[in-house]
Amino acid sequence: PGGGIMSGEQRADCDTDTQSGQPAQSAQRSTLGVLKTAVGRIRHDPFLTVPFIVAGIVVAVADWLRTHDPLPVALTDGLSQTISVQYSVVPQGTARTVRHVGALIDLKMPYLLWAIGLELAVVLVVAIAGWMTIARTLDTSPHLGGLSRYLLTMLAVLILSQLLGSSFLTTDRFLLGLGLLAVFLVVAVRLFLFPANLVTGNEPLAALRLSYRRSRGYGMTIAGLIIVIGLSYWGLAKISHVGGFLSTAVVAPVHAVVLGILVSAKTKELDAKSSD
């Protein structure tokens, strides 16, 4: 009397709830479970893909413009490698081309403004896409303050990628790559939820603290998500001509929805503990 054996349908409900888009208890703890929940949420609400489809078009146009204008351009780091983890703290696709800072030195003012304007336009559109998608996943109203902080984070990521490069695992330096990947994962796991915490209106330092705290208990799950997402960004970006679009339009929305789902799940978990 009081106990009982759950039916197959009840057990399935405990594994995942793709209609609501929220991970159930067992799905919360697995990389595959979280990804399935994210895809289910997108199927239930296809509009979640629209912002990054628009951003993907902008990324593809920017790739074409960089290739055809007279300024120096390079292939994005990692795309020439056999395998590479192309992961960013904020959801964004991997463009096929990149313009390094050295290409801007000694340019005449019209060319300098053109090059900087193009890069800023891409950052702005991708930032708005991530901000909108995460907010919609969290079912919260987007805050303009959150957008400004999110945009500044995107700019910081862009600057760091220019300084450090974006390839963390390459087969020509496999052992060194594994070591770098391990260090990167330790840091990236703790920063994983940072963008979603910005979208909810938190100040940067508060968002960092929340990301560090709320990533506890999800370490292996988040590490798996980072590797899967990073490899997916890289794999689609390698496709000639349309790689930048596919990487942004297909992978980035899943990345953003995953962030919203995990933050929502951890918030409910913490609220439940507080009520207990």
Side-chain angles (χ1 to χ4, degrees):
I5 300 175
M6 291 197 308
S7 68
E9 291 183 357
Q10 288 173 317
R11 285 194 298 270
D13 289 341
C14 288
D15 289 337
T16 184
D17 182 2
T18 56
Q19 292 300 315
S20 67
Q22 300 301 331
Q25 290 300 318
S26 62
Q28 288 178 10
R29 298 297 176 179
S30 76
T31 297
L32 183 59
V34 174
L35 289 172
K36 284 184 175 180
T37 304
V39 172
R41 178 64 183 270
I42 290 171
R43 286 178 178 172
H44 183 64
D45 183 7
F47 186 80
L48 287 166
T49 64
V50 172
F52 275 110
I53 289 175
V54 174
I57 294 172
V58 173
V59 169
V61 170
D63 273 336
W64 188 89
L65 291 172
R66 291 192 199 101
T67 304
H68 290 82
D69 71 21
L71 303 181
V73 67
L75 186 69
T76 298
D77 295 344
L79 295 188
S80 61
Q81 303 295 337
T82 304
I83 187 171
S84 177
V85 176
Q86 296 286 313
Y87 175 79
S88 172
V89 173
V90 289
Q92 59 175 328
T94 299
R96 288 187 52 79
T97 60
V98 63
R99 182 154 287 146
H100 295 299
V101 175
L104 307 180
I105 297 175
D106 295 331
L107 284 180
K108 293 182 178 179
M109 188 56 66
Y111 293 108
L112 179 63
L113 293 177
W114 158 254
I116 294 176
L118 178 62
E119 303 307 319
L120 289 180
V122 173
V123 170
L124 178 62
V125 173
V126 173
I128 292 174
W131 172 67
M132 291 179 61
T133 305
I134 294 172
R136 188 175 180 89
T137 305
L138 289 168
D139 196 22
T140 185
S141 299
H143 301 281
L144 288 178
L147 174 59
S148 63
R149 290 185 283 272
Y150 192 97
L151 179 59
L152 288 175
T153 301
M154 279 278 303
L155 289 172
V157 169
L158 176 65
I159 292 171
L160 285 174
S161 66
Q162 285 280 335
L163 295 176
L164 303 177
S166 56
S167 182
F168 293 100
L169 176 60
T170 57
T171 56
D172 57 344
R173 295 180 299 169
F174 188 71
L175 292 179
L176 177 60
L178 284 180
L180 291 174
L181 179 63
V183 174
F184 167 72
L185 282 176
V186 170
V187 176
V189 164
R190 295 307 182 192
L191 293 177
F192 189 77
L193 301 177
F194 177 59
N197 290 323
L198 288 176
V199 172
T200 57
N202 291 288
E203 296 293 332
L205 288 179
L208 282 172
R209 287 194 294 268
L210 284 171
S211 179
Y212 182 86
R213 186 176 67 187
R214 292 180 175 180
S215 61
R216 293 175 180 173
Y218 279 84
M220 294 303 295
T221 297
I222 292 176
L225 289 169
I226 289 170
I227 293 173
V228 171
I229 290 170
L231 288 173
S232 299
Y233 277 137
W234 167 80
L236 289 182
K238 282 182 70 69
I239 300 175
S240 299
H241 306 300
V242 296
F245 169 77
L246 292 175
S247 180
T248 305
V250 176
V251 186
V254 175
H255 184 181
V257 171
V258 162
L259 292 177
I261 287 172
L262 287 181
V263 166
S264 177
K266 288 300 289 184
T267 300
K268 290 181 179 180
E269 182 180 314
L270 291 173
D271 289 343
K273 289 180 180 178
S274 298
S275 63
D276 291 341

